[in-house]
Amino acid sequence: MGVELPTTEFSDIPDELWLELESHAHDGAQGHAGQVQLLDEEGRFRSESKLAQSISTLSEDSLRGMYRDMAMIRRFDTEATALQRQGQLALWVPLRGQEAAQIGSGTATLAQDYVFPTYREHGVALTRGIDLADLLRLFRGISNGGWDPRITGFHLYTLVLAAQVPHAVGYAMGMQRDAARAAAQTATAQTAAAPGAGPSATADAGAPSAEPGAVVAYFGDGASSEGDVHESMVFAASFKAPVVFFCQNNQWAISVPSEVQSRIPLFNRAKGYGFPGVRVDGNDVLAVRAVTEWALERARSGKGPVLIEAYTYRQGAHTTADDPTKYRLSDEEQSWVAKDPLSRFEKYLRAEGIADDAFFAQVAAEGDAVAAKARADVLDFVAPSLEDSFRNVYAEPHPLIAEELAWHREYEAGFADENSGSAQEGGH
């Protein structure tokens, strides 16, 4: 009996050819493989590109909104870094330099999509309607999250490298099955309602939405070396899960350069799993938006996963506990400043007459207001009580937890007595 093996030739992807050609149409940065690009470093738009058609549907308000989001999240990022340096946050994970990759991809998602971030996707969080103050609760150490993923479609941050990627594929497979169930119920209801079919039937009140959605799984070039990513891509390919793997290749996995992570461009790894991969200029917000829209639509329509490698650069430290001067050269950093995503997009908006000095001044003022609010919010945060920390370990009361809480109270009381005695001796 013959066995039909899965194909790796992408025969079911009619538009794969042009994306493949487009991805090699432009020389990559620093001699690397080609990448999809719509805006060059001077902000000139490549209107002849096939991807330009999708961008042409964006209104001027949408384009200005994308720039505003990029500027807002950069200003917020700067303030959060300052708050950590001043002892108001335990840690901060900067995103400077990666704004286009995040805003471009985030604005491409729809309400029914679901996002699994790592710990640096502050820009994506903004596009999904997360209150920026809620991001800071985690980094102040007073919450395990700060927002409800069921409302925002934006999962909680994951601090363990790549741990969210299997979750993303599992969630996508769940969405896939929900969609199949909804389609079956719709077909049953239509059949029952046909003339002569007898009493009409209706779908269950708890039936899933028929509106197709997809999942975006964010991870970095360093996390791409984790087994979780490999296993996730195997499952996603095998079941044609509606998931977009979005790798922000910011060149450095803490202190390890990306060329040590992979001997081939990361997007080429997708071929080994049997689905398409594409490298996009991660500092070009329009190209990121167009490629992500294509990938998400492909996933929603049942054609399976895509790997997007956003080729970008982390301009700052990996976290505020890191010193990048110890492992990379200033010449490298300066070479990427010329590719800065905000300045590139600003040049485009000015050249096209979409934005002027007044707009950019207004955005700067709005950014300062966002930063001031973030600072005020952090200073107003109320830390959870010690009892809350113990209470949240288990769903139900537990005698061991109660014993540990009692010990800790006694331990803290000892410090209080010592401090009280010192104050009395000092005459205060």
Side-chain angles (χ1 to χ4, degrees):
M1 187 168 79
V3 178
E4 182 179 354
L5 297 176
T7 177
T8 59
E9 296 302 319
F10 313 134
S11 58
D12 60 341
I13 311 168
D15 56 353
E16 169 62 17
L17 176 60
W18 70 258
L19 255 181
E20 181 95 5
L21 295 174
E22 182 74 10
S23 68
H24 291 86
H26 201 85
D27 289 337
Q30 301 180 5
H32 288 274
Q35 57 187 341
V36 176
Q37 186 183 79
L38 290 178
L39 293 178
D40 67 15
E41 294 172 18
E42 296 305 316
R44 292 184 290 259
F45 185 67
R46 300 181 59 215
S47 58
E48 77 284 0
S49 166
K50 294 182 177 66
L51 283 172
Q53 298 174 8
S54 63
I55 295 301
S56 65
T57 63
L58 294 176
S59 67
E60 292 188 354
D61 282 344
S62 295
L63 294 171
R64 284 190 291 265
M66 290 168 67
Y67 179 88
R68 180 180 287 106
D69 285 348
M70 292 168 65
M72 289 301 106
I73 206 62
R74 175 170 289 191
R75 182 64 183 87
F76 170 78
D77 179 63
T78 300
E79 192 68 20
T81 299
L83 285 165
Q84 193 283 327
R85 297 305 191 201
Q86 295 161 6
Q88 298 301 328
L89 301 178
L91 183 75
W92 181 244
V93 185
L95 61 69
R96 187 180 183 91
Q98 298 178 223
E99 294 90 351
Q102 296 195 13
I103 300 302
S105 60
T107 55
T109 62
L110 299 179
Q112 67 266 27
D113 297 328
Y114 198 93
V115 173
F116 281 84
T118 58
Y119 43 67
R120 199 188 301 273
E121 277 68 54
H122 320 314
V124 184
L126 178 64
T127 68
R128 298 296 296 187
I130 304 295
D131 187 332
L132 294 179
D134 287 341
L135 293 176
L136 301 177
R137 296 180 186 276
L138 174 66
F139 295 99
R140 191 166 170 88
I142 62 172
S143 173
N144 292 325
W147 59 92
D148 189 341
R150 296 167 296 184
I151 296 174
T152 61
F154 185 82
H155 207 67
L156 300 179
Y157 274 1
T158 304
L159 301 183
V160 178
L161 282 184
Q164 77 282 2
V165 186
H167 301 161
V169 174
Y171 195 95
M173 292 171 65
M175 293 175 72
Q176 184 183 55
R177 284 150 179 75
D178 283 348
R181 177 188 168 204
Q185 289 178 342
T186 299
T188 300
Q190 290 174 344
T191 301
S200 62
T202 57
D204 295 340
S209 171
E211 192 72 23
V215 170
V216 185
Y218 287 90
F219 57 94
D221 50 296
S224 71
S225 296
E226 297 284 337
D228 304 57
V229 172
H230 165 76
E231 294 152 7
S232 300
M233 291 187 177
V234 169
F235 264 85
S238 297
F239 294 95
K240 281 191 171 182
V243 58
V244 175
F245 297 102
F246 196 94
C247 176
Q248 292 179 83
N249 181 357
N250 64 17
Q251 311 305 312
W252 290 94
I254 307 182
S255 59
V256 179
S258 60
E259 56 265 26
V260 176
Q261 301 293 333
S262 177
R263 294 300 181 185
I264 63 171
L266 291 174
F267 76 95
N268 278 335
R269 288 181 172 179
K271 295 179 181 179
Y273 299 103
F275 56 83
V278 59
R279 173 180 279 183
V280 62
D281 184 342
N283 287 6
D284 175 357
V285 68
L286 296 184
V288 174
R289 169 73 180 251
V291 168
T292 309
E293 281 186 342
W294 167 81
L296 283 168
E297 179 55 34
R298 181 182 181 281
R300 295 188 201 105
S301 62
K303 294 180 180 178
V306 174
L307 169 60
I308 297 175
E309 177 191 359
Y311 199 78
T312 182
Y313 191 76
R314 165 171 56 81
Q315 291 186 14
H318 175 71
T319 71
T320 48
D322 170 47
D323 181 4
T325 65
K326 300 295 184 183
Y327 54 81
R328 67 187 192 192
L329 301 176
S330 59
D331 288 348
E332 174 189 308
E333 295 176 347
Q334 289 304 311
S335 70
W336 279 91
V337 169
K339 304 179 182 72
D340 184 82
L342 267 77
S343 60
R344 182 187 304 192
F345 197 35
E346 178 180 344
K347 291 174 183 177
Y348 166 76
L349 294 176
R350 287 183 181 276
E352 296 294 318
I354 299 173
D356 54 16
D357 288 344
F359 168 77
F360 292 109
Q362 178 186 354
V363 168
E366 291 175 2
D368 289 340
V370 166
K373 182 179 183 302
R375 176 172 292 274
D377 287 340
V378 166
L379 298 179
D380 286 343
F381 282 159
V382 177
S385 68
L386 182 66
E387 286 74 12
D388 287 338
S389 300
F390 281 84
R391 190 181 299 118
N392 292 334
V393 176
Y394 292 107
E396 301 294 335
H398 193 286
L400 178 59
I401 297 299
E403 179 184 339
E404 291 175 344
L405 174 58
W407 179 91
H408 201 89
R409 282 173 173 161
E410 183 180 354
Y411 174 74
E412 282 198 327
F415 283 104
D417 292 340
E418 181 180 331
N419 292 335
S420 175
S422 298
Q424 290 176 0
E425 292 175 7
H428 298 290

